[in-house]
Amino acid sequence: MGIPFHQTARIGAYVLKQHLSGRKRYPLVLMLEPLFRCNLACAGCGKIDYPDKILNQRVSYADAMKAIDECGAPVISIAGGEPLLHKEMPEIVRGAIAKKKFVTLCTNALLMEKKLDQYKPSPFFNWSVHLDGDETMHDKSVCQTGVYDKAVAAIKAAKAKGFRVNINTTLFNDADPEKAARFFDTMTEMGIDGITVSPGYAYERAPDQQHFLNRAKTKELFRGIFARGKGGKAWPWFQSPLFLDFLAGNQTYSCTPWGNPTFTVFGWQKPCYLLGEGYAQSFTELMDTTEWDKYGTGNYEKCADCMVHCGFEATAVKDAVKAPWKMLTLAVKGIRTQGPTAPDISLANQRPADFVFSRHVQAKMEEIDTFEKTTGKSFSKVANDRVKPMEAAE
C-alpha cells in the first residue's frame, strides 16, 4: 500500500464528513502551482509556453497560505513548472505542514539532491519525482539525456535521509506495457514508497500533440500493464485503486474537477488543472461562478479523451466511500484486465472547443505592463526576478 494508513484514515474521514453533510462539491486536493518556469522543456507539456514576464511570476508564501486556508482541502500537491526554482518553497512546505496538510512536492529532481537539506522528513510530507519510465523512456519524454540518472540519484539520497519518496509517471501512446511494468518493478525494488500514474495530459499548447492517448488506447495500455503486475497488486500505488480500475476500463466515471482545484499566478483556474478557461480571485468565486456542467467528458470537446487523475481521482475516492465493497474486491482480486469494459460516456452532445489561452496571456501581460509603467517597479513577487531556464542543470 503506497498511501500511509494515517493519511488514508484522515482523508476518508474528511470525505465521509462531506458526504454525510450533503455537500455536493468539495475539494480533496489543492493543486498549488506557484510558478510556470521550469528547467526542462518536455515535448508533452505546455506549462512553459508563456512570455518571460509571466514565467518570472511566483505565488508568494502569503498567497499560498491564503489559498490553502480558503480551499480547506486536506491534501496539497505542489507542482509547476519546477517548484524547486521557487526561493520560498521550503517556507511554503513548512507552512502547509504546520496546518496539518498532507503535502506532496512534485519535482523533476534536477535540483532535489542539492536542496534536500532545506526540508525535513515528516509524516505529512513526501517528494514526488517525475519519472516517465526507464532511462530510455524518461529521457526521451523530457527531451534531455541524463535526467533519469539524476532523478534516481536524488531518490536514493532522499531515502537515505529518511524522506518518503514517490514517483509520478505519465504515459503516452508510445508506451509499451511490458517496459512500463518492468520499470514499476525496478522502482519497487529500489524501495520507492508510492507510484502515481496517469495517461498523458492533453495540454493544448504542448509542442508534441501526436502522442496523447485516447480513451480506448488508455484502457488497452493499462490493462496490459496491470496484467503483468498481479492485477496491479505488485506495486505500491499512491492513488485510489478505483481510479486505477477506471484506467483499465472497469468503471464509468464522470470527472469532478472541483475535487482538485488549482491555484496559480493567474488565480483560481477554471475549471481544472488542465484547462485554463477563466480565473477566479477567490476559492468561493471559483466554486460559485464556474459553469461545471459545461465541462467533462460528454460535455466538452477538449475533455473527450481525458482520464487524468486530477479529474477522476476525486470521483474514485467518493465512490470508495459510497461503495466500499468495490475496494474490498480490488484488494482481493486485483484489477480485471480481460473481458468487456464498462460503458463509456457518449460524446454525441459535447460542445466544440473554445481556445482561450491567448486571451488570458494578453490580459496578464496588460496587468504586468500597467503595474510596471505606473510604479516603475518589477511586477515579479520574488527578489530575483528572472530564473534562467537551465539553472538546475548546473
Side-chain angles (χ1 to χ4, degrees), residues 1-57:
M1 183 67 174
I3 306 177
F5 176 76
H6 75 286
Q7 184 168 347
T8 301
R10 288 190 57 168
I11 294 173
Y14 168 85
V15 173
L16 182 60
K17 179 181 178 180
Q18 308 305 315
H19 179 63
L20 293 176
S21 68
R23 189 178 179 187
K24 181 179 178 182
R25 298 188 178 106
Y26 55 87
L28 183 65
V29 179
L30 167 59
M31 308 288 284
L32 180 61
E33 199 169 29
L35 77 172
F36 296 137
R37 175 75 75 185
C38 190
N39 45 19
L40 288 174
C42 307
C45 179
K47 290 294 182 177
I48 62 171
D49 189 21
Y50 290 97
D52 276 345
K53 285 189 176 182
I54 292 177
L55 291 177
N56 290 340
Q57 303 311 305

Side-chain angles (χ1 to χ4, degrees), residues 91-334:
E91 288 77 18
I92 290 173
V93 169
R94 286 195 292 269
I97 291 174
K99 296 175 183 293
K100 301 300 182 183
K101 305 297 184 181
F102 294 101
V103 180
T104 292
L105 181 53
C106 304
T107 176
N108 59 33
L110 291 180
L111 276 172
M112 181 176 163
E113 193 168 0
K114 177 182 177 182
K115 293 181 177 283
L116 274 179
D117 290 340
Q118 297 179 8
Y119 302 85
K120 293 182 179 180
S122 164
F124 288 91
F125 176 68
N126 65 269
W127 295 94
S128 182
V129 176
H130 174 213
L131 277 178
D132 287 346
D134 61 21
E135 181 177 3
T136 301
M137 296 165 65
H138 184 65
D139 286 356
K140 176 184 177 183
S141 177
V142 301
C143 305
Q144 185 171 316
T145 59
V147 177
Y148 176 87
D149 288 340
K150 289 183 179 180
V152 169
I155 289 170
K156 292 179 178 179
K159 291 294 296 177
K161 289 180 177 290
F163 289 99
R164 281 187 54 85
V165 185
N166 299 339
I167 60 167
N168 63 81
T169 301
T170 304
L171 298 176
F172 297 88
N173 67 4
D174 56 352
D176 175 73
E178 180 65 33
K179 289 186 70 175
R182 288 202 304 268
F183 166 68
F184 291 145
D185 286 340
T186 299
M187 291 294 108
T188 301
E189 292 165 4
M190 188 186 297
I192 205 77
D193 293 290
I195 299 171
T196 302
V197 69
S198 187
Y201 310 158
Y203 288 127
E204 64 185 67
R205 305 289 295 188
D208 179 5
Q209 292 288 326
Q210 304 302 313
H211 290 94
F212 292 121
L213 287 153
N214 61 35
R215 286 192 150 222
K217 290 294 185 181
T218 294
K219 297 169 188 176
E220 179 183 346
L221 171 62
F222 282 96
R223 283 194 168 198
I225 294 171
F226 297 146
R228 291 164 169 82
K230 301 178 182 178
K233 295 196 295 179
W235 307 301
W237 299 108
F238 194 71
Q239 51 198 150
S240 168
L242 281 173
F243 171 70
L244 301 174
D245 202 42
F246 164 70
L247 291 181
N250 299 323
Q251 302 291 335
T252 302
Y253 285 153
S254 295
C255 78
T256 52
W258 54 85
N260 287 41
T262 300
F263 184 75
T264 80
V265 297
F266 289 135
W268 292 94
Q269 183 168 313
K270 299 181 180 183
C272 72
Y273 182 70
L274 299 181
L275 298 181
E277 305 228 338
Y279 292 87
Q281 295 309 302
S282 70
F283 179 71
T284 298
E285 181 187 342
L286 171 76
M287 298 298 286
D288 291 347
T289 64
T290 303
E291 298 180 85
W292 300 110
D293 293 339
K294 293 178 64 175
Y295 299 98
T297 305
N299 296 328
Y300 191 34
E301 185 179 13
K302 287 184 181 180
C303 305
D305 288 321
C306 183
M307 296 180 71
V308 177
H309 66 283
C310 64
F312 294 93
E313 184 84 44
T315 310
V317 172
K318 290 175 64 176
D319 193 27
V321 172
K322 293 179 180 179
W325 60 87
K326 289 185 179 182
M327 295 285 285
L328 180 61
T329 300
L330 286 174
V332 174
K333 296 183 178 180

